[in-house]
PDB file of all heavy atoms in Angstrom:
ATOM      1  N   GLU A1542     -21.747 100.820-136.446  1.00 95.00           N
ATOM      2  CA  GLU A1542     -20.419 100.988-135.999  1.00 95.00           C
ATOM      3  C   GLU A1542     -19.425 100.245-136.923  1.00 95.00           C
ATOM      4  O   GLU A1542     -19.479  99.079-137.053  1.00 95.00           O
ATOM      5  CB  GLU A1542     -20.284 100.376-134.573  1.00 95.00           C
ATOM      6  CG  GLU A1542     -18.877 100.407-133.940  1.00 95.00           C
ATOM      7  CD  GLU A1542     -18.294 101.808-133.969  1.00 95.00           C
ATOM      8  OE1 GLU A1542     -18.799 102.696-133.252  1.00 95.00           O
ATOM      9  OE2 GLU A1542     -17.290 102.035-134.712  1.00 95.00           O
ATOM     10  N   THR A1543     -18.568 101.026-137.538  1.00 91.00           N
ATOM     11  CA  THR A1543     -17.587 100.456-138.491  1.00 91.00           C
ATOM     12  C   THR A1543     -16.144 100.601-138.049  1.00 91.00           C
ATOM     13  O   THR A1543     -15.261  99.936-138.610  1.00 91.00           O
ATOM     14  CB  THR A1543     -17.772 101.112-139.879  1.00 91.00           C
ATOM     15  OG1 THR A1543     -17.584 102.494-139.751  1.00 91.00           O
ATOM     16  CG2 THR A1543     -19.125 100.822-140.414  1.00 91.00           C
ATOM     17  N   ASP A1544     -15.874 101.422-137.027  1.00 92.00           N
ATOM     18  CA  ASP A1544     -14.476 101.721-136.649  1.00 92.00           C
ATOM     19  C   ASP A1544     -14.025 100.791-135.509  1.00 92.00           C
ATOM     20  O   ASP A1544     -12.832 100.492-135.437  1.00 92.00           O
ATOM     21  CB  ASP A1544     -14.384 103.155-136.173  1.00 92.00           C
ATOM     22  CG  ASP A1544     -14.674 104.162-137.277  1.00 92.00           C
ATOM     23  OD1 ASP A1544     -14.386 103.846-138.424  1.00 92.00           O
ATOM     24  OD2 ASP A1544     -15.285 105.210-136.987  1.00 92.00           O
ATOM     25  N   MET A1545     -14.896 100.419-134.616  1.00 95.00           N
ATOM     26  CA  MET A1545     -14.512  99.700-133.429  1.00 95.00           C
ATOM     27  C   MET A1545     -15.408  98.415-133.354  1.00 95.00           C
ATOM     28  O   MET A1545     -16.568  98.415-133.596  1.00 95.00           O
ATOM     29  CB  MET A1545     -14.739 100.543-132.180  1.00 95.00           C
ATOM     30  CG  MET A1545     -14.345  99.946-130.874  1.00 95.00           C
ATOM     31  SD  MET A1545     -14.480 101.122-129.491  1.00 95.00           S
ATOM     32  CE  MET A1545     -16.235 101.490-129.478  1.00 95.00           C
ATOM     33  N   PHE A1546     -14.748  97.274-133.026  1.00 95.00           N
ATOM     34  CA  PHE A1546     -15.458  96.037-132.804  1.00 95.00           C
ATOM     35  C   PHE A1546     -16.219  96.144-131.498  1.00 95.00           C
ATOM     36  O   PHE A1546     -15.669  96.573-130.465  1.00 95.00           O
ATOM     37  CB  PHE A1546     -14.477  94.869-132.777  1.00 95.00           C
ATOM     38  CG  PHE A1546     -15.085  93.537-132.530  1.00 95.00           C
ATOM     39  CD1 PHE A1546     -15.636  92.847-133.597  1.00 95.00           C
ATOM     40  CD2 PHE A1546     -15.111  92.987-131.282  1.00 95.00           C
ATOM     41  CE1 PHE A1546     -16.217  91.583-133.419  1.00 95.00           C
ATOM     42  CE2 PHE A1546     -15.694  91.729-131.075  1.00 95.00           C
ATOM     43  CZ  PHE A1546     -16.258  91.027-132.128  1.00 95.00           C
ATOM     44  N   VAL A1547     -17.485  95.754-131.483  1.00 96.00           N
ATOM     45  CA  VAL A1547     -18.293  95.823-130.272  1.00 96.00           C
ATOM     46  C   VAL A1547     -19.003  94.529-130.040  1.00 96.00           C
ATOM     47  O   VAL A1547     -19.380  93.850-131.018  1.00 96.00           O
ATOM     48  CB  VAL A1547     -19.322  96.962-130.327  1.00 96.00           C
ATOM     49  CG1 VAL A1547     -18.614  98.341-130.340  1.00 96.00           C
ATOM     50  CG2 VAL A1547     -20.220  96.834-131.553  1.00 96.00           C
ATOM     51  N   ARG A1548     -19.190  94.159-128.787  1.00 95.00           N
ATOM     52  CA  ARG A1548     -19.903  92.891-128.480  1.00 95.00           C
ATOM     53  C   ARG A1548     -20.408  92.919-127.042  1.00 95.00           C
ATOM     54  O   ARG A1548     -19.640  93.284-126.101  1.00 95.00           O
ATOM     55  CB  ARG A1548     -18.983  91.728-128.670  1.00 95.00           C
ATOM     56  CG  ARG A1548     -19.605  90.370-128.308  1.00 95.00           C
ATOM     57  CD  ARG A1548     -18.823  89.201-128.861  1.00 95.00           C
ATOM     58  NE  ARG A1548     -18.896  89.170-130.339  1.00 95.00           N
ATOM     59  CZ  ARG A1548     -18.131  88.413-131.120  1.00 95.00           C
ATOM     60  NH1 ARG A1548     -17.257  87.567-130.563  1.00 95.00           N
ATOM     61  NH2 ARG A1548     -18.294  88.420-132.420  1.00 95.00           N
ATOM     62  N   PRO A1549     -21.676  92.561-126.844  1.00 96.00           N
ATOM     63  CA  PRO A1549     -22.191  92.394-125.472  1.00 96.00           C
ATOM     64  C   PRO A1549     -21.692  91.067-124.901  1.00 96.00           C
ATOM     65  O   PRO A1549     -21.528  90.062-125.644  1.00 96.00           O
ATOM     66  CB  PRO A1549     -23.668  92.399-125.620  1.00 96.00           C
ATOM     67  CG  PRO A1549     -23.904  91.841-127.026  1.00 96.00           C
ATOM     68  CD  PRO A1549     -22.693  92.291-127.869  1.00 96.00           C
ATOM     69  N   THR A1550     -21.397  91.008-123.621  1.00 95.00           N
ATOM     70  CA  THR A1550     -20.896  89.835-122.977  1.00 95.00           C
ATOM     71  C   THR A1550     -21.791  89.420-121.794  1.00 95.00           C
ATOM     72  O   THR A1550     -22.357  90.331-121.129  1.00 95.00           O
ATOM     73  CB  THR A1550     -19.476  90.056-122.500  1.00 95.00           C
ATOM     74  OG1 THR A1550     -18.644  90.431-123.623  1.00 95.00           O
ATOM     75  CG2 THR A1550     -18.841  88.836-121.901  1.00 95.00           C
ATOM     76  N   CYS A1551     -21.900  88.138-121.578  1.00 96.00           N
ATOM     77  CA  CYS A1551     -22.907  87.592-120.585  1.00 96.00           C
ATOM     78  C   CYS A1551     -24.271  88.066-121.028  1.00 96.00           C
ATOM     79  O   CYS A1551     -25.150  88.377-120.152  1.00 96.00           O
ATOM     80  CB  CYS A1551     -22.576  88.045-119.188  1.00 96.00           C
ATOM     81  SG  CYS A1551     -20.918  87.495-118.610  1.00 96.00           S
ATOM     82  N   ALA A1552     -24.488  88.093-122.342  1.00 97.00           N
ATOM     83  CA  ALA A1552     -25.774  88.537-122.870  1.00 97.00           C
ATOM     84  C   ALA A1552     -26.092  87.692-124.111  1.00 97.00           C
ATOM     85  O   ALA A1552     -26.263  88.194-125.188  1.00 97.00           O
ATOM     86  CB  ALA A1552     -25.692  90.022-123.288  1.00 97.00           C
ATOM     87  N   PRO A1553     -26.271  86.376-123.934  1.00 97.00           N
ATOM     88  CA  PRO A1553     -26.477  85.519-125.068  1.00 97.00           C
ATOM     89  C   PRO A1553     -27.736  85.721-125.836  1.00 97.00           C
ATOM     90  O   PRO A1553     -27.817  85.469-127.057  1.00 97.00           O
ATOM     91  CB  PRO A1553     -26.461  84.070-124.465  1.00 97.00           C
ATOM     92  CG  PRO A1553     -26.855  84.295-123.023  1.00 97.00           C
ATOM     93  CD  PRO A1553     -26.242  85.616-122.631  1.00 97.00           C
ATOM     94  N   GLN A1554     -28.737  86.331-125.183  1.00 97.00           N
ATOM     95  CA  GLN A1554     -30.016  86.597-125.862  1.00 97.00           C
ATOM     96  C   GLN A1554     -29.854  87.624-126.997  1.00 97.00           C
ATOM     97  O   GLN A1554     -30.672  87.761-127.837  1.00 97.00           O
ATOM     98  CB  GLN A1554     -31.087  87.081-124.872  1.00 97.00           C
ATOM     99  CG  GLN A1554     -31.654  85.982-123.964  1.00 97.00           C
ATOM    100  CD  GLN A1554     -30.707  85.619-122.812  1.00 97.00           C
ATOM    101  OE1 GLN A1554     -29.719  86.362-122.555  1.00 97.00           O
ATOM    102  NE2 GLN A1554     -30.989  84.532-122.147  1.00 97.00           N
ATOM    103  N   TYR A1555     -28.727  88.320-127.001  1.00 97.00           N
ATOM    104  CA  TYR A1555     -28.412  89.282-128.062  1.00 97.00           C
ATOM    105  C   TYR A1555     -28.451  88.568-129.423  1.00 97.00           C
ATOM    106  O   TYR A1555     -28.908  89.202-130.425  1.00 97.00           O
ATOM    107  CB  TYR A1555     -27.060  89.925-127.823  1.00 97.00           C
ATOM    108  CG  TYR A1555     -26.674  90.969-128.851  1.00 97.00           C
ATOM    109  CD1 TYR A1555     -27.391  92.162-128.932  1.00 97.00           C
ATOM    110  CD2 TYR A1555     -25.588  90.799-129.685  1.00 97.00           C
ATOM    111  CE1 TYR A1555     -27.032  93.140-129.863  1.00 97.00           C
ATOM    112  CE2 TYR A1555     -25.202  91.748-130.595  1.00 97.00           C
ATOM    113  CZ  TYR A1555     -25.915  92.937-130.669  1.00 97.00           C
ATOM    114  OH  TYR A1555     -25.569  93.908-131.596  1.00 97.00           O
ATOM    115  N   TYR A1556     -27.958  87.362-129.475  1.00 96.00           N
ATOM    116  CA  TYR A1556     -27.904  86.649-130.714  1.00 96.00           C
ATOM    117  C   TYR A1556     -29.243  86.127-131.184  1.00 96.00           C
ATOM    118  O   TYR A1556     -29.538  85.958-132.377  1.00 96.00           O
ATOM    119  CB  TYR A1556     -26.820  85.596-130.661  1.00 96.00           C
ATOM    120  CG  TYR A1556     -25.524  86.203-130.372  1.00 96.00           C
ATOM    121  CD1 TYR A1556     -25.008  86.381-129.108  1.00 96.00           C
ATOM    122  CD2 TYR A1556     -24.765  86.786-131.417  1.00 96.00           C
ATOM    123  CE1 TYR A1556     -23.806  86.993-128.842  1.00 96.00           C
ATOM    124  CE2 TYR A1556     -23.569  87.431-131.183  1.00 96.00           C
ATOM    125  CZ  TYR A1556     -23.086  87.526-129.875  1.00 96.00           C
ATOM    126  OH  TYR A1556     -21.916  88.201-129.634  1.00 96.00           O
ATOM    127  N   ARG A1557     -30.153  85.899-130.222  1.00 96.00           N
ATOM    128  CA  ARG A1557     -31.534  85.613-130.543  1.00 96.00           C
ATOM    129  C   ARG A1557     -32.197  86.836-131.153  1.00 96.00           C
ATOM    130  O   ARG A1557     -32.888  86.753-132.164  1.00 96.00           O
ATOM    131  CB  ARG A1557     -32.284  85.203-129.279  1.00 96.00           C
ATOM    132  CG  ARG A1557     -33.776  84.859-129.495  1.00 96.00           C
ATOM    133  CD  ARG A1557     -34.633  85.930-128.977  1.00 96.00           C
ATOM    134  NE  ARG A1557     -34.508  86.084-127.518  1.00 96.00           N
ATOM    135  CZ  ARG A1557     -34.909  87.169-126.877  1.00 96.00           C
ATOM    136  NH1 ARG A1557     -35.494  88.195-127.543  1.00 96.00           N
ATOM    137  NH2 ARG A1557     -34.740  87.298-125.565  1.00 96.00           N
TER     138      ARG A1557
END
Side-chain angles (χ1 to χ4, degrees):
E1542 177 55 66
T1543 58
D1544 299 325
M1545 182 173 64
F1546 180 82
V1547 294
R1548 178 164 291 171
T1550 303
C1551 299
Q1554 287 78 14
Y1555 182 65
Y1556 298 95
R1557 180 253 299 163

